[in-house]
Amino acid sequence: MKCCPHCKVQLEADPERCPLCHNATEPALGPSYRAYPPLPVLAHRGGLYRFLQFLSAVAGIVAVALNLSLGHEVWWSLFVLAGIGCGWLCLLVFIRKRHNPMKVLVWQVALCMVLSVLWDLATGWHRWSVEFVIPSVLLCAMVTTVVLVFALHIPPAESAIYAFILILLDIIPLGLLLGGVCHFVYLSITCVAAGVVYLAALCMLIPGTFFSQLRRRFHL
């Protein structure tokens, strides 16, 4: 029987080189080695999440305490608590979908749009969510999609359906424009135009992949 002094393992056969590290083997005349090398104990990754939970709890408690001590005619601490909740919601979605960057992007875009409208409604509905946030988020998402596809070498079959979902979300600024909800129309018009260009790129540059993904996903 031979052993590998580098990997600290015994080999039942008598190979000239270790199948793990390919170094030369030696006769097992020295100290007896384990059948498997010892594995280092990995640090538990939950410590960061627990620390963030602790910071969130401290921030919420301090905000409520200050609100009560300085006067509670206006409950601004509720906005702090809501902001912490929104941050954790986005973080949990990112953790849940982290294995698919394109899916993470689409989920974060949808969350940002919904949460911005809810915040706008909660602060008196000044329409900043529909005039600025939603078009800006969609424009950034389209650019980010292109960057992710080229940077991570994502196949067109995996990115086409998520790009199409962003195009469907682009209908929202179009509907707001047609309904006369937006007074600042330039950003929404730019977003809608970018969505049309995006759709044309999918239909003309990767038509086979795009339409096959539509038929497969939507059972057309």
Side-chain angles (χ1 to χ4, degrees):
M1 181 178 291
K2 290 189 176 182
C3 68
C4 175
H6 181 73
C7 297
K8 308 297 182 182
V9 295
Q10 290 181 346
L11 305 173
E12 294 183 357
D14 294 328
E16 296 297 328
R17 294 190 174 276
C18 174
L20 298 177
C21 64
H22 302 288
N23 288 322
T25 58
E26 297 178 356
L29 300 177
S32 59
Y33 296 120
R34 300 180 182 179
Y36 298 97
L39 296 177
V41 178
L42 298 178
H44 186 52
R45 297 181 180 179
L48 176 61
Y49 302 137
R50 288 196 295 269
F51 181 67
L52 291 177
Q53 290 172 357
F54 172 73
L55 288 182
S56 301
V58 170
I61 294 171
V62 170
V64 173
L66 287 175
N67 200 167
L68 290 174
S69 61
L70 297 177
H72 53 275
E73 290 81 8
V74 178
W75 285 97
W76 54 265
S77 59
L78 296 179
F79 291 98
V80 176
L81 296 176
I84 294 173
C86 292
W88 271 103
L89 179 61
C90 294
L91 179 61
L92 292 176
V93 170
F94 173 79
I95 295 173
R96 190 72 180 270
K97 309 294 182 181
R98 67 185 182 277
H99 300 294
N100 190 332
M102 297 295 295
K103 185 179 291 187
V104 169
L105 178 64
V106 172
W107 271 94
Q108 295 292 344
V109 167
L111 268 178
C112 186
M113 293 169 62
V114 173
L115 292 176
S116 65
V117 172
L118 292 178
W119 275 94
D120 199 355
L121 289 171
T123 54
W125 185 245
H126 300 287
R127 288 186 289 197
W128 51 263
S129 59
V130 295
E131 292 186 347
F132 300 101
V133 176
I134 291 179
S136 300
V137 167
L138 287 173
L139 281 172
C140 293
M142 293 178 194
V143 175
T144 305
T145 301
V146 177
V147 173
L148 287 177
V149 168
F150 285 99
L152 301 180
H153 304 287
I154 301 176
E158 297 181 10
S159 60
I161 188 63
Y162 298 107
F164 182 67
I165 293 175
L166 292 178
I167 293 173
L168 291 180
L169 292 176
D170 201 43
I171 296 176
I172 296 176
L174 178 61
L176 295 173
L177 281 173
L178 296 178
V181 178
C182 298
H183 296 310
F184 186 81
V185 299
Y186 302 105
L187 193 57
S188 297
I189 291 175
T190 304
C191 180
V192 173
V196 174
V197 173
Y198 213 61
L199 179 60
L202 291 177
C203 295
M204 297 178 184
L205 298 180
I206 51 171
T209 302
F210 176 58
F211 290 114
S212 64
Q213 286 294 314
L214 286 182
R215 287 192 295 268
R216 185 171 71 87
R217 299 292 183 121
F218 296 100
H219 306 285
L220 300 176

